[in-house]
């Protein structure tokens, strides 16, 4: 696809890598590509970062027809830039689009555009191990009008943010609150898609958990309010009796890229992995018997987030003495090692820009 480059690249960038935070500062480049019924997805442009100009009646503001992705670019010691399993993001973006009645971008085009964007934005990829360029591609419905139907026109945008750890606590354990009233998804809803609506419905419970002193919400299934699905904006894993459990991706759970990498790595290490239902009652019983060795969340932004405490119906359970577990740390080291090019990529997960 022919890409138009509108501005010269700013090669001199000075980042304060001690205090990047997450998603607070943005590279001065963005990519845009429009969809029209006549031309399909066409004429991508990489230009200077700028605000979007949209009418107040633009459909995305009212009916939330939009999707997004999250992936990172990592600077290696030899100055090359790594992307991690970008084919997975391309596929999930495609699947999210289909679910939200948005014309999907072919996976090969998505990969080509992200690589071209990262190449032009490489000056913003941080140098310090642990810091990376968080890339946020998204599509919004751009028709003007208040009728409820699929938009005819769309815009694909890519922005990026030089970022540090997602959680201030880094790899230190967080505390989670089991939400047994509000739900994040249910069969038939787009729980597997990365659409803003899934995050919007989670905010209230997140705020309530914070008011009670917890960092994150643990979501149960939307029908019986029994089976564990996700934590906050991450997948969740339970290391019980040297076996690893996580909820299956059967439509209501986000198919995380880090999730799938953890499963592959653990299987290679000889750890049995079960993608199956675990009810909150079973978990409580196992916690009471002291059988739960570790619990951790996983996601692109946070990588691994150990869970040190769980609260369910006015009772609190401490996991692994509120310490980062051996498996959580080993997985964090292995995944980040591959991402930053410090450990050999035997899986073919890395593509270089
Ligand atoms: C990610 O891990 O990339 C996410 O999408 C989480 C996010 C909503 C910050």
């Amino acid at each position: 696809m022919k890409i138009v480059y509108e501005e010269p690249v700013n090669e001199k960038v000075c980042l304060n890598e001690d205090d990047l935070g997450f998603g607070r500062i943005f590279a001065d480049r963005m990519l845009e590509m429009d969809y029209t019924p006549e031309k399909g997805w066409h004429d991508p442009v990489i230009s200077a970062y700028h605000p979007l100009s949209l009418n107040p009646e633009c459909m995305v503001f009212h009916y939330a027809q939009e999707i997004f992705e999250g992936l990172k670019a990592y600077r290696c010691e030899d100055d090359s830039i790594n992307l991690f399993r970008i084919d997975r993001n391309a596929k999930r973006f495609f699947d999210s689009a289909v679910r939200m009645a948005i014309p999907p971008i072919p996976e090969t085009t998505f990969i080509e555009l992200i690589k071209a964007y990262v190449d032009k934005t490489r000056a913003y990829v941080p140098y310090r191990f642990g810091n990376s360029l968080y890339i946020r591609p998204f599509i919004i419905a751009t028709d003007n009008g208040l009728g409820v139907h699929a938009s005819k026109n769309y815009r694909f945008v890519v922005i990026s943010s030089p970022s540090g750890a997602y959680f201030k606590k880094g790899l230190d354990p967080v505390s989670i609150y089991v939400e047994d009233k509000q739900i994040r998804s249910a069969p038939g809803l787009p729980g597997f898609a990365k659409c803003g609506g899934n995050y919007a419905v989670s905010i209230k419970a997140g705020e309530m958990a914070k008011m009670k002193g917890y960092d994150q919400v643990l979501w149960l299934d939307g029908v019986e309010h029994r089976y564990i699905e996700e934590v906050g904006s991450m997948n969740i894993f339970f290391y019980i009796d040297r076996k690893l459990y996580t909820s299956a991706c059967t439509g209501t759970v986000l198919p995380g890229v880090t999730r799938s990498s953890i499963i592959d790595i653990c299987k290679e290490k000889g750890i049995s992995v079960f993608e199956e239902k675990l009810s909150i009652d079973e978990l409580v019983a196992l916690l009471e018997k002291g059988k739960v060795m570790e619990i951790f969340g996983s996601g692109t932004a946070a990588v691994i987030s150990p869970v040190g405490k769980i609260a369910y119906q006015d009772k609190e359970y401490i996991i692994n003495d509120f310490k980062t577990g051996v498996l959580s740390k080993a997985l964090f080291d292995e995944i980040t090692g591959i991402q930053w090019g410090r450990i050999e990529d035997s899986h073919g997960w890395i593509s270089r820009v």
Side-chain angles (χ1 to χ4, degrees):
M1 204 169 211
K2 190 175 171 302
I3 305 171
V4 173
Y5 301 101
E6 275 191 354
E7 298 270 333
V9 180
N10 179 2
E11 290 296 352
K12 287 223 160 49
V13 175
C14 190
L15 297 172
N16 173 8
E17 291 213 27
D18 292 331
D19 185 29
L20 291 174
F22 176 83
R24 282 201 329 234
I25 52 171
F26 289 87
D28 78 342
R29 313 266 93 200
M30 65 197 273
L31 181 147
E32 288 170 286
M33 175 169 75
D34 281 339
Y35 176 92
T36 60
E38 301 76 35
K39 291 184 163 177
W41 288 111
H42 63 280
D43 299 338
V45 178
I46 295 177
S47 62
Y49 173 96
H50 58 263
L52 299 177
S53 172
L54 299 167
N55 286 4
E57 69 275 21
C58 181
M59 276 186 62
V60 67
F61 295 139
H62 304 272
Y63 308 127
Q65 200 192 1
E66 75 87 49
I67 55 165
F68 68 93
E69 262 306 318
L71 67 158
K72 289 172 172 173
Y74 311 87
R75 191 182 294 276
C76 304
E77 271 158 10
D78 66 0
D79 228 19
S80 61
I81 307 290
N82 277 353
L83 296 173
F84 182 72
R85 307 194 80 179
I86 186 174
D87 54 318
R88 293 288 178 131
N89 297 100
K91 170 153 185 3
R92 193 169 59 190
F93 201 53
F94 189 99
D95 295 342
S96 299
V98 171
R99 177 60 182 86
M100 299 304 286
I102 292 172
I105 296 180
E107 290 160 56
T108 47
T109 308
F110 176 90
I111 294 171
E112 184 191 340
L113 293 178
I114 297 290
K115 284 187 173 171
Y117 171 78
V118 171
D119 189 33
K120 293 288 169 197
T121 316
R122 55 197 311 133
Y124 284 88
V125 181
Y127 282 80
R128 191 176 299 173
F129 177 69
N131 292 340
S132 57
L133 185 70
Y134 184 80
I135 304 157
R136 174 51 63 88
F138 60 99
I139 296 177
I140 51 171
T142 51
D143 274 9
N144 292 320
L146 299 183
V148 181
H149 50 75
S151 181
K152 291 195 171 54
N153 300 281
Y154 297 86
R155 180 161 301 173
F156 172 57
V157 185
V158 184
I159 53 172
S160 61
S161 169
S163 291
Y166 181 64
F167 292 119
K168 279 204 190 88
K169 294 184 175 175
L171 201 55
D172 289 343
V174 295
S175 59
I176 60 177
Y177 179 81
V178 182
E179 174 57 60
D180 58 359
K181 295 192 180 53
Q182 297 185 41
I183 59 168
R184 174 191 172 274
S185 190
L189 286 170
F192 66 89
K194 234 168 154 50
C195 58
N198 283 342
Y199 295 79
V201 297
S202 77
I203 285 171
K204 173 99 178 156
E207 291 303 301
M208 285 166 65
K210 265 195 203 118
M211 270 163 51
K212 293 183 173 138
Y214 301 97
D215 300 301
Q216 293 273 313
V217 167
L218 182 71
W219 296 105
L220 301 179
D221 76 278
V223 178
E224 296 183 57
H225 297 210
R226 265 183 83 196
Y227 296 105
I228 292 164
E229 298 219 315
E230 290 191 19
V231 60
S233 49
M234 295 180 290
N235 295 117
I236 184 141
F237 286 87
F238 301 89
Y239 192 39
I240 302 168
D241 257 350
R242 304 197 182 281
K243 298 182 200 79
L244 197 62
Y245 291 82
T246 191
S247 10
C249 288
T250 50
T252 52
V253 169
L254 189 85
V257 179
T258 312
R259 173 189 179 279
S260 125
S261 313
I262 288 169
I263 293 174
D264 291 353
I265 291 172
C266 284
K267 283 184 178 164
E268 283 162 19
K269 290 190 187 304
I271 298 172
S272 306
V273 183
F274 299 89
E275 294 178 67
E276 56 185 49
K277 287 184 170 179
L278 177 67
S279 75
I280 187 67
D281 300 325
E282 282 171 289
L283 178 68
V284 164
L286 290 161
L287 284 164
E288 279 171 350
K289 284 190 203 141
K291 297 248 184 224
V292 183
M293 300 162 75
E294 294 180 37
I295 302 180
F296 54 89
S298 73
T300 297
V303 192
I304 301 279
S305 178
V307 175
K309 181 162 74 178
I310 285 202
Y312 178 53
Q313 294 182 340
D314 300 327
K315 262 189 113 174
E316 288 189 336
Y317 305 88
I318 301 293
I319 300 107
N320 195 34
D321 291 334
F322 214 97
K323 293 198 185 93
T324 301
V326 174
L327 182 63
S328 308
K329 174 81 171 72
L331 286 168
F332 178 84
D333 288 346
E334 178 136 2
I335 293 171
T336 54
I338 296 171
Q339 291 170 332
W340 269 270
R342 295 176 165 202
I343 293 180
E344 197 197 319
D345 167 33
S346 57
H347 306 89
W349 287 343
I350 293 297
S351 39
R352 291 199 151 192
V353 177

